[in-house]
Amino acid sequence: MTRRALSLRVYSFHEHPNTERLMTTLHHSLWRALGLSLLALTPFVMPGAQAQPAAPALEAPAGRAAKQAGTAARDMVAAANPLAAQAGREILAAGGSAIDAAVAVQLVLNLVEPQNSGIGGGAFIVHWDGSDVVTLDGREVAPAAAKPERFLGRDGKPMPFYDAVVGGRSVGVPGTLRLLEVAHRRWGKLSWPQVIAPAMRLAEEGFAISPYLNGIVTQDKYLQNDPIARTYFYGEDGKPKPVGTILKNPAFARTLREIADKGADAFYTGEIAADIVATVTRHTTNPGDMTLRDLEGYKVEERAPVCGSYRTYRVCGMGPPSSGGVAVLQMLSTLEPQDMASIRPGPDAAHWISEAGRLAFADRALYLADPGFVSVPVRGLIDPGYLKTRAGLVSPDKSMGRAKAGDPPFQKTEFRFAPSDGVEFGTSHISVVDRDGKAVAMTTTIEDGLGARIMTRSGFLLNNELTDFNFAPEEEGKPVANRVDTNKRPRSSMAPTLVFDADNKLYAVVGSPGGSQIITYVTKTLVGILDWKLDPQVAVDLPNFGSRNGPTEIEAGTEAEAWKSALEAKGHQVRAISMNSGIQAIVIGPNGLTGGADSRREGVAIGN
Ligand code: GLU
């Protein structure tokens, strides 16, 4: 059995408020145990896993498989599925830009990893064109009819999570396709039909169902209730189509052809739009209220990038409505006074990173939401003076337990603290660097694995992103920042990130799925690359650990479990849980590109 399989044993039910989510988590561990066991048995080889010349890589932990790692001279793509990464690589080889590759990768992911992202969902792009960082927000939007009480039951209390998720109620107006189009118009080199072609070909000719997709469908109990999804994902015997089955999606091929001919308008108006609205509003048990006007009115927003320094580096990420960029910068800033390079991976590192997480998550819960509805004090939250005071709250010897939100300068809030965080799986991250040194970090989601469990006739699943809003609109009689509202975007944790060196040269492209854990995963990886000088594959595969201002979480089945007693001695309440990241990282060194794709999922980093 692999080390990952151990997480099956260390779980206990009361660790999870929601048993169904636990089952999802368990399933992921199982999938990993089965799907990756061969990899784990092979001796540790890292094709091209090279040390940065100035910074020797640490020894790779024993037994760690790294088939995912890659090196390249000119360009690279790291994505969560080999077919998707290959599509991106072909586009790059044909002279395409980073964004051309990202479009191809996303559309192929929609087919081969449909549980995690697609044109039925939303995404953020952080783009580097060689001189500027631009961040684009393609987050889903609540329909005009959405009200703050959307996720309250008849008793006025927040609904059970899956009562809200499954069906039309949780579906936000999808943003991913408009985002791809806007980005492609701005930075694309190849034609729009050219970047769509790889996905269209695969949709027509079919692709083999992967262990990950099969595993997710097998464990899910809602998807089979959707008639279109049932025909697509299940055999005539009612069982999920097995691993290796060649799956064709002619409906999606037609959709892509329309989109190739008419652009994203083909999706946001006309027949496909009508199909989306019908799928959402005609759901038999939990209909939603999305309209054609909602779809037609969807807009991608360009947001100010959130940038800050970490040691000699500059780190840039996604601002609100994502909490990702702010929280990652806050965590790094809390770590900066420590000599993380000599602390090394271990219980002390877990202590500092957990405490940094507590502080960041306390602020996140109070302040972060859609900036169109709430005045988010971004400037104050990443103000160096403020962060220095916050970092001063961390003791080297004792955990602070639960952190309180701070009082950042420049702005006051009228909102109430409202924690609500699950661990979701319906997300994917794409990192690309092209031959001109342009880069894309794109994190893309349909929220929970398999989203709202409803599939359109046009061949794609719809998101359940609206459950990223807080269900309870008020706490202690005051509104919570991330409550549902008309045309509002739910708060995200997605943290597509770019790192620049002291000469403002692009150094790294990083991101991950994992719900609110994303913030921890990305921070860990950045510390691994920037402080511990690890090869990106090794940094990605380090055990996950951190805190979201609750218990200190360590990844079950990894060597981090051995850190438990040292952490407890500092007063941490430690929980070993599955921490199923899907980090994709590319580092640009003087001799080319080195990439890593999370061995917890199916990704690869490949290039030319
Ligand atoms: N919907 C989540 C977010 O935007 C991400 C879920 C996931 O990572 O699976 O923060």
Side-chain angles (χ1 to χ4, degrees), residues 264-590:
D265 282 350
F267 176 97
Y268 289 96
T269 58
E271 269 173 43
I272 302 172
D275 176 28
I276 295 171
V277 168
T279 311
V280 167
T281 56
R282 293 194 202 143
H283 191 267
T284 46
T285 55
N286 196 15
D289 43 19
M290 193 187 295
T291 63
L292 286 171
R293 274 184 80 150
D294 288 326
L295 276 158
E296 208 181 329
Y298 184 84
K299 284 209 168 44
V300 169
E301 300 284 350
E302 182 172 338
R303 306 284 185 192
V306 174
C307 296
S309 66
Y310 182 58
R311 309 195 194 282
T312 57
Y313 301 95
R314 190 166 67 101
V315 177
C316 290
M318 193 68 219
S322 188
S323 59
V326 168
V328 167
L329 278 179
Q330 286 194 318
M331 285 185 71
L332 290 175
S333 167
T334 309
L335 298 174
E336 195 152 13
Q338 307 313 317
D339 181 8
M340 293 307 288
S342 59
I343 291 177
R344 316 305 300 167
D348 283 347
H351 170 74
W352 287 106
I353 290 179
S354 297
E355 298 302 281
R358 289 173 205 287
L359 293 169
F361 273 83
D363 278 356
R364 172 184 178 275
L366 182 59
Y367 296 109
L368 267 298
D370 183 341
F373 287 72
V374 170
S375 139
V376 185
V378 174
R379 190 171 149 223
L381 288 168
I382 58 169
D383 174 68
Y386 170 68
L387 289 172
K388 206 166 162 213
T389 322
R390 294 289 277 169
L393 299 173
V394 183
S395 142
D397 316 310
K398 182 122 189 63
S399 173
M400 68 182 77
R402 199 173 281 272
K404 287 205 181 73
D407 194 5
F410 314 124
Q411 227 147 352
K412 290 284 166 248
T413 184
E414 271 308 295
F415 292 95
R416 266 293 180 265
F417 182 85
S420 88
D421 279 311
V423 180
E424 302 95 0
F425 298 98
T427 301
S428 212
H429 179 80
I430 306 165
S431 292
V432 193
V433 179
D434 69 21
R435 60 172 80 179
D436 300 325
K438 299 188 170 140
V440 171
M442 172 171 175
T443 313
T444 174
T445 183
I446 58 170
E447 214 302 285
D448 199 38
L450 301 166
R453 283 30 173 222
I454 52 178
M455 192 164 183
T456 62
R457 293 188 184 284
S458 315
F460 53 89
L461 291 166
L462 292 173
N463 71 83
N464 65 297
E465 215 68 47
L466 302 186
T467 58
D468 267 356
F469 283 115
N470 284 80
F471 284 20
E474 293 184 352
E475 297 281 337
E476 298 159 18
K478 285 208 174 179
V480 301
N482 184 40
R483 66 201 246 149
V484 186
D485 221 328
T486 304
N487 297 139
K488 188 175 174 182
R489 299 177 187 218
R491 179 185 64 210
S492 171
S493 307
M494 296 193 288
T497 305
L498 300 178
V499 181
F500 300 87
D501 69 12
D503 301 324
N504 202 29
K505 285 221 292 276
L506 180 68
Y507 183 65
V509 185
V510 180
S512 179
S516 55
Q517 304 266 30
I518 290 170
I519 291 161
T520 314
Y521 300 156
V522 168
T523 304
K524 172 210 79 172
T525 308
L526 293 176
V527 171
I529 292 171
L530 305 179
D531 287 323
W532 297 331
K533 311 293 183 199
L534 295 172
D535 175 278
Q537 184 67 51
V538 180
V540 164
D541 281 346
L542 278 180
N544 286 317
F545 51 86
S547 174
R548 293 173 289 158
N549 205 18
T552 296
E553 297 166 329
I554 53 178
E555 188 177 8
T558 69
E559 51 270 40
E561 290 207 61
W563 309 345
K564 191 162 184 260
S565 50
L567 283 164
E568 282 171 350
K570 290 190 174 177
H572 290 260
Q573 246 191 50
V574 182
R575 288 204 182 147
I577 60 168
S578 169
M579 296 176 82
N580 188 26
S581 52
I583 308 155
Q584 256 71 253
I586 298 176
V587 169
I588 300 107

Side-chain angles (χ1 to χ4, degrees), residues 219-286:
Q219 66 91 47
D220 192 75
K221 57 185 201 200
Y222 305 109
L223 188 66
Q224 57 195 304
N225 298 331
D226 181 81
I228 296 167
R230 188 166 56 232
T231 319
Y232 183 61
F233 291 107
Y234 299 79
E236 276 167 20
D237 57 1
K239 297 211 176 86
K241 293 180 181 167
V243 174
T245 308
I246 301 298
L247 197 56
K248 296 184 183 174
N249 191 337
F252 193 59
R254 273 195 301 281
T255 296
L256 291 177
R257 192 169 301 285
E258 284 276 295
I259 292 168
D261 290 349
K262 300 184 194 142
D265 282 350
F267 176 97
Y268 289 96
T269 58
E271 269 173 43
I272 302 172
D275 176 28
I276 295 171
V277 168
T279 311
V280 167
T281 56
R282 293 194 202 143
H283 191 267
T284 46
T285 55
N286 196 15

